[in-house]
Amino acid sequence: MPTPCDTTLCAEELRTALALHGITLPSLRADLPTFAGDYSPPAGLVALGNCNTATARALAAVLREAAER
């Protein structure tokens, strides 16, 4: 079961990995309210948040490039 700390660390790892490609998702964070519910399996969601079209296109390009490898 993920803990709030685990989920926060995961969000930070993702933030760091995205930064290596020049991508910033300002709203990236652990979605702590998901721990308040009774979900099965336990939630521990990472909220990716909103981004502008330039950021979305940059993210898509990085993912396409990685898929081609």
Side-chain angles (χ1 to χ4, degrees):
M1 173 176 171
T3 66
C5 184
D6 294 332
T7 305
T8 299
L9 290 174
C10 181
E12 289 304 315
E13 289 174 18
L14 181 56
R15 182 185 318 282
T16 300
L18 289 169
L20 293 173
H21 297 279
I23 297 172
T24 300
L25 297 177
S27 300
L28 180 67
R29 60 180 171 71
D31 187 28
L32 297 179
T34 60
F35 287 97
D38 185 21
Y39 302 99
S40 181
L45 300 177
V46 174
L48 299 178
N50 299 320
C51 66
N52 61 33
T53 56
T55 301
R57 287 186 176 119
L59 182 55
V62 167
L63 292 172
R64 279 192 301 273
E65 181 182 318
E68 292 172 0
R69 293 183 194 166

